[in-house]
Amino acid sequence: MITKIYKSFIFSVAMLGLSSCVNNWLDQAPSNGIPTSQAITNYNDARTAMYGMYDGLQGNSTYSEYYAARMFYYGDVRADDMQARDQGMRTSSCYEMRYTVDDAPAIWNVPYNVIRRANRIIEAVDNKKIQDAEKYQKEVNDIYAQAKVVRALVHFDLVRIYGNPYTSDKGASLGVPFVDTALGTDSQLGRETVAGVYEKVIKDLTDAVNSGALYKSEKVGEKQGFIDQWAAEALLTRVYLYKGENELALSTAQNIIEHSPYKLWEADEYAEAWDKMSAKHTKEMMFELINNGTDDWADREGIGYLYNEDGYADAICTKSFVDMLEADKNDVRINVILPVQNKMDDKGSPTDLYKKYGDEPVFINKFPKGQQGDPRLQNLPILRLSEVYLNAAEAAVKIGGGNVDYAVKYLNDLIKARSVDLNSANVVDAGSITLERVLTERRKELVGEGHRFFDAMRNNETIVRYESQDNIGWHYALNEDSRKFDRTYFRAILPIPVSEVNANPVIAKQQNPGY
């Protein structure tokens, strides 16, 4: 598990700088407390730097702009299956999509800070700065490969947020700067094309996967909180799928399904398995970020608190999504969407939430209070085996031909694991399977985990929140251009943050269209 080892004055200063400095992703001190000027010179330094790298993926309690919260709800509420509950919520800006370049949400500084931490590890090994590397060669090589995967993950996230989907123009438009070396405070990188970023992301991933250095878990949970061989391959299937490399996505996913120790949760395990204290939790969870206390950047700004009724109750499922999921009474996935629990106030009158939603399931419970009694303490799911099955099915149905049989097999495997009473109406066959059906199962399975918006954009789907008062559901009033849109809508990608534009004249000339 990730251990907090760095609560230091240096880190406090560094994190304060996250909001006050421009280009701060180039030179801030890492969260492990090792100053940037101090080299990583031994195995213990490298291991400490690795902890800081992983911890940075969340952000922190003030700047939760990465996996602590924003990366999840960005991918959820911008689409059609989740929404901000009301105006003024933390998720409202991403949901309403009315922002300008001056007030747009950002997912920039923290990710680039993580990249810098990964680069420090990579460069220390490449430059042979680790003096006891020969003694700890296996461990150092593993850390090095993990840093490559993390660097790939973060660049991939950034290019999804700030660049057009690869499938829209084969990556010809601008993506983000790819940073693979330590940079000075005066460095002013320009944006690479989306294709260029994907090429380097895939190189980092394939280098790590093919190196033989990553730990290859034989039992689930052996590397909980860290990236192992299987998690790296799972990420690679995702990247291949986004790029449209369907043959590679399928073959990589098949290797995981056939050879890894991970198994799908069964129907009777599904609801409880989300609690990290469950004995079945790690069975399907290939990579997650660990939270051991509310100071692990999992406080009231964390996604668990935002999605919980007793937290901020910030975002809910849409009426259209709930109706779709409830159409199959045998689907256990409805069990992680809770109705209002606090139905009456202390005067015996219905609460406002109960007045509005009644007994309808609205709150995602993938970050449950569980046995620890606090949603802030749940881990953050990044890669699950169910996604690998869905990646395989989607890739296979897109390839077509004889591969359709694989699509049928992998989709049915997932459907069976999510059905309490399977019947012929649930499963698919070669004649009935379609891309739309695969994507529908993807929506049901991955809701609340930050996928739907990106899936819709890369597949050129139209997002429909509502079109009239007849189907407005639980949505509150939105601008017309945010009620229904596709990937040609300029706000489908974020503007480069104004602080970066002001500090970097190269990027200032490369702002996204419409801003």
Side-chain angles (χ1 to χ4, degrees), residues 459-474:
N459 281 300
N460 199 21
E461 294 183 81
T462 297
I463 294 294
V464 180
R465 272 85 172 267
Y466 69 94
E467 296 180 274
S468 70
Q469 291 299 312
D470 294 334
N471 64 354
I472 194 170
W474 298 317

Side-chain angles (χ1 to χ4, degrees), residues 80-82 316-329 334 337-338 359-364 443-444 447 474:
D80 44 5
D81 294 340
M82 291 192 70
I316 60 173
C317 291
T318 61
K319 183 69 165 59
S320 60
F321 177 77
V322 170
D323 289 345
M324 178 181 70
L325 194 54
E326 286 189 320
D328 182 359
K329 300 301 182 182
I334 195 65
I337 305 178
L338 300 180
D359 292 317
E360 294 271 21
V362 291
F363 293 108
I364 287 287
R443 292 170 66 181
K444 292 179 180 180
V447 65
W474 298 317

Side-chain angles (χ1 to χ4, degrees), residues 436-451:
E436 181 181 7
R437 178 62 193 277
V438 174
L439 296 179
T440 296
E441 289 300 322
R442 194 174 183 93
R443 292 170 66 181
K444 292 179 180 180
E445 181 65 25
L446 300 178
V447 65
E449 298 175 66
H451 289 269

Side-chain angles (χ1 to χ4, degrees), residues 352-379:
D352 289 341
L353 287 176
Y354 191 61
K355 288 177 185 177
K356 187 169 185 178
Y357 306 115
D359 292 317
E360 294 271 21
V362 291
F363 293 108
I364 287 287
N365 196 37
K366 290 186 173 181
F367 308 91
K369 289 183 179 180
Q371 299 175 43
Q372 293 179 296
D374 191 336
R376 297 174 295 171
L377 298 179
Q378 292 299 332
N379 297 341

Side-chain angles (χ1 to χ4, degrees), residues 91-235:
T91 60
S92 295
S93 179
C94 288
Y95 168 62
E96 295 167 5
M97 300 174 73
R98 295 185 299 179
Y99 44 76
T100 67
V101 69
D102 294 316
D103 63 0
I107 311 178
W108 183 272
N109 286 334
V110 169
Y112 273 113
N113 196 31
V114 176
I115 290 169
R116 181 194 49 74
R117 297 176 194 180
N119 282 337
R120 291 192 68 216
I121 295 171
I122 293 166
E123 290 190 343
V125 177
D126 283 341
N127 296 331
K128 304 187 185 305
K129 298 296 184 181
I130 300 180
Q131 298 168 4
D132 54 0
E134 185 174 345
K135 180 179 178 181
Y136 296 101
Q137 195 66 63
K138 183 177 180 180
E139 293 84 355
V140 169
N141 289 346
D142 186 18
I143 291 172
Y144 177 81
Q146 289 181 66
K148 285 281 189 80
V149 177
V150 169
R151 185 170 73 180
L153 168 65
V154 180
H155 279 109
F156 176 63
D157 287 341
L158 285 164
V159 80
R160 290 192 292 163
I161 295 163
Y162 293 100
N164 288 318
Y166 187 99
T167 53
S168 66
D169 58 3
K170 296 186 178 180
S173 52
L174 289 177
V176 293
F178 192 98
V179 183
D180 56 4
T181 186
L183 299 175
T185 57
D186 58 348
S187 297
Q188 296 176 339
L189 292 183
R191 299 171 68 184
E192 295 195 30
T193 64
V194 170
V197 175
Y198 267 79
E199 180 181 356
K200 292 179 178 179
V201 164
I202 290 172
K203 184 179 187 308
D204 268 350
L205 288 174
T206 52
D207 283 352
V209 165
N210 296 332
S211 68
L214 288 168
Y215 187 80
K216 197 168 187 176
S217 299
E218 296 181 0
K219 297 180 180 179
V220 297
E222 284 187 309
K223 289 279 283 185
Q224 189 182 20
F226 299 93
I227 288 167
D228 69 354
Q229 177 76 15
W230 304 116
E233 291 186 22
L235 178 57

